[in-house]
Amino acid sequence: MIELKNFNRPSEIIIIKNNSKNVLISKIGHEQNIIAINIDKKKSSQKLKKFFPNSLIAKYDENNFIDFDQKGTGFLIRKLDGTINKKYKISKQIKNIECLYFDEEEKKLVVLDSKLNQYIEANIKNLDNIKIKKKVIKNIDLKFSKFCYLENNEYLLVNKKNFFLVDKDFKILKKKDIKKKGSNFYFRAISSIKFYSKRIVICDSLNYKIYFLDKLLNIKKEIGGKGKELGKFDLPINFIFYKKNLIISDKNNDRIVLFNQNNFKLLVKKKYDLKILSRPIKVKLIDNKLALLDRDNSRIIFYDKNLNFKKIVNIKNFINGKPNSFDFLYLSKKKSIVVLYRFTNLSNKILIFNF
């Protein structure tokens, strides 16, 4: 397992085999910085240069990857150190990129524009002669959509209401409604779809699960559920396949997890550091000091008026629950800390600690 100090909120992930080593590229943090990790040796992280916010990434070849700005009109081919190899402008007529699919063998890039409800296909096998075609989609709403290539020139496209099996021209071959909450076919926020080993694999970030479906859209297996313990997720956002393993970006748990059959293993996680806050959510003033609730580290940190560190009070750390608010209580001149905990099973608690 790899522990990194500044590894927070991983989102998109790809793996590039380079010089007989497997490099994991991951976007981290709200500023969308990107790091490169040698996952075979389980060491050596390299923080690349700052990238566009809200960009999308995909593997291009063993030395380069694609960085596509959602709000831009083109894409970049970047080297593994983050420097720009080539930059391409597709069109001024792109308003908002929802998602992308890239075929590594054919070197075909497909992006969905939800603002103009169109798809754009770019053949980038020859970078000096890129061929582009666009088509307006009239019968499918592309807002909040995700899609992937299946086989036999068929795609699976999903929006908030429906699953669509479509051909290469986006003609609907099959349609299935996403049923209401409480049914066995209910999805809240699909963030990633891939097709692997005759299975459709879907990451639903707000159901905190990953689902495995057949081509008839029957759910065959699901993993996850909300939680911090290994085997649970908190906002899983992206995944890839690597040597028959499923590698999952577990965003709010600040980690990347490997899943094989029924086994979970931590691959990368954030290293605990006294100086690094993790989701601080509340500040109070007491005895001329600032008291800060460092939620995910389950502690209260005290600073003086000049924000110099003074003291840490560690509070109880639960596997499936986190402190969500706090205050100070005075009883018979005795000072205590009152903490509200929120749990994944909604069995919330209020605990009182000696100061």
Side-chain angles (χ1 to χ4, degrees):
M1 182 184 64
I2 306 165
E3 288 187 282
L4 302 174
K5 281 187 177 180
N6 295 310
F7 186 78
N8 64 315
R9 302 298 181 262
S11 54
E12 291 179 75
I13 46 177
I14 57 174
I15 286 183
I16 297 178
K17 188 168 185 176
N18 177 266
N19 298 327
S20 299
K21 66 182 180 183
N22 290 287
V23 179
L24 187 146
I25 310 287
S26 176
K27 294 201 311 186
I28 58 170
H30 297 298
E31 293 182 340
Q32 303 293 343
N33 290 323
I34 294 185
I35 63 168
I37 304 166
N38 183 346
I39 60 172
D40 292 327
K41 291 187 176 180
K42 296 185 179 179
K43 65 176 185 179
S44 71
S45 69
Q46 175 188 5
K47 197 168 186 178
L48 308 183
K49 296 180 180 179
K50 271 192 179 180
F51 283 55
F52 289 118
N54 301 316
S55 65
L56 298 155
I57 58 175
K59 175 185 174 182
Y60 181 73
D61 58 26
E62 64 179 15
N63 297 305
N64 300 276
F65 62 98
I66 300 169
D67 177 28
F68 202 118
D69 186 1
Q70 278 186 310
K71 295 181 179 179
T73 57
F75 63 92
L76 305 172
I77 304 291
R78 290 190 185 267
K79 298 178 183 178
L80 294 187
D81 63 359
T83 57
I84 297 174
N85 193 344
K86 291 196 175 183
K87 187 175 183 178
Y88 297 94
K89 193 164 190 173
I90 291 181
S91 169
K92 292 181 180 179
Q93 299 304 313
I94 299 176
K95 297 296 184 181
N96 187 63
I97 300 300
E98 245 351 295
C99 58
L100 69 80
Y101 167 76
F102 183 67
D103 186 318
E104 292 177 31
E105 291 184 7
E106 297 293 327
K107 293 290 185 286
K108 182 174 71 174
L109 176 68
V110 181
V111 293
L112 300 184
D113 179 358
S114 60
K115 195 79 172 180
L116 298 178
N117 223 69
Q118 63 180 345
Y119 85 89
I120 301 97
E121 182 181 300
N123 188 327
I124 57 178
K125 193 173 268 188
N126 182 355
L127 292 175
D128 296 317
N129 183 25
I130 296 178
K131 297 178 181 179
I132 296 172
K133 68 177 183 179
K134 294 187 294 182
K135 182 177 181 178
V136 174
I137 308 298
K138 295 182 179 179
N139 49 359
I140 302 174
D141 183 2
L142 296 183
K143 193 173 181 180
F144 302 115
S145 61
K146 294 288 180 289
F147 79 124
C148 74
Y149 177 69
L150 301 180
E151 55 188 359
N152 303 322
N153 289 319
E154 293 178 350
Y155 290 93
L156 177 69
L157 189 147
V158 181
N159 59 20
K160 276 205 163 186
K161 295 182 179 180
N162 307 102
F163 278 61
F164 299 94
L165 185 67
V166 299
D167 64 15
K168 61 185 177 64
D169 297 316
F170 280 69
K171 179 183 176 182
I172 297 175
L173 304 175
K174 184 178 180 180
K175 178 181 175 182
K176 184 170 183 177
D177 294 341
I178 296 176
K179 296 178 182 177
K180 292 183 179 180
K181 188 173 182 179
S183 72
N184 62 351
F185 201 79
Y186 169 69
F187 298 89
R188 292 180 65 194
I190 293 175
S191 56
S192 185
I193 303 176
K194 291 188 174 59
F195 186 66
Y196 180 78
S197 189
K198 304 296 182 180
R199 282 285 184 264
I200 298 164
V201 188
I202 293 177
C203 179
D204 186 337
S205 55
L206 291 185
N207 271 340
Y208 311 100
K209 291 182 179 180
I210 291 177
Y211 299 87
F212 300 81
L213 291 73
D214 61 20
K215 273 195 68 175
L216 297 176
L217 302 181
N218 300 308
I219 297 175
K220 294 298 183 179
K221 183 178 182 176
E222 61 185 66
I223 59 173
K226 185 171 173 58
K228 199 172 182 68
E229 62 268 36
L230 199 58
K232 301 289 185 180
F233 304 120
D234 189 355
L235 205 66
I237 204 79
N238 196 261
F239 65 90
I240 51 174
F241 289 95
Y242 166 69
K243 295 182 178 179
K244 296 184 179 180
N245 299 306
L246 186 65
I247 296 181
I248 304 151
S249 176
D250 189 6
K251 186 175 182 179
N252 277 2
N253 280 329
D254 296 317
R255 65 190 183 190
I256 291 176
V257 178
L258 185 146
F259 173 76
N260 188 333
Q261 294 180 341
N262 293 313
N263 299 313
F264 289 87
K265 186 170 76 172
L266 274 178
L267 192 62
V268 188
K269 77 168 188 174
K270 182 177 179 178
K271 187 174 183 179
Y272 180 79
D273 190 317
L274 286 175
K275 296 180 181 178
I276 296 179
L277 304 176
S278 185
R279 298 184 80 182
I281 59 171
K282 190 167 185 179
V283 177
K284 294 190 72 67
L285 184 65
I286 181 171
D287 298 337
N288 213 24
K289 292 185 182 65
L290 287 176
L292 171 80
L293 177 59
D294 187 12
R295 179 187 183 273
D296 280 9
N297 286 324
S298 296
R299 60 185 183 171
I300 295 172
I301 304 177
F302 293 84
Y303 303 89
D304 65 18
K305 61 181 180 180
N306 296 317
L307 297 182
N308 297 312
F309 167 78
K310 299 299 291 183
K311 180 181 180 180
I312 289 178
V313 175
N314 291 307
I315 53 181
K316 191 168 180 60
N317 183 16
F318 294 95
I319 290 176
N320 62 342
K322 283 297 173 188
N324 205 58
S325 186
F326 78 110
D327 208 335
F328 295 95
L329 175 68
Y330 296 88
L331 288 173
S332 302
K333 297 183 179 180
K334 182 180 178 182
K335 190 189 304 180
S336 301
I337 301 174
V338 183
V339 183
L340 168 66
Y341 282 84
R342 290 182 63 185
F343 288 81
T344 55
N345 61 3
L346 301 181
S347 179
N348 301 326
K349 292 181 172 68
I350 295 176
L351 301 183
I352 300 175
F353 299 89
N354 293 329
F355 186 79

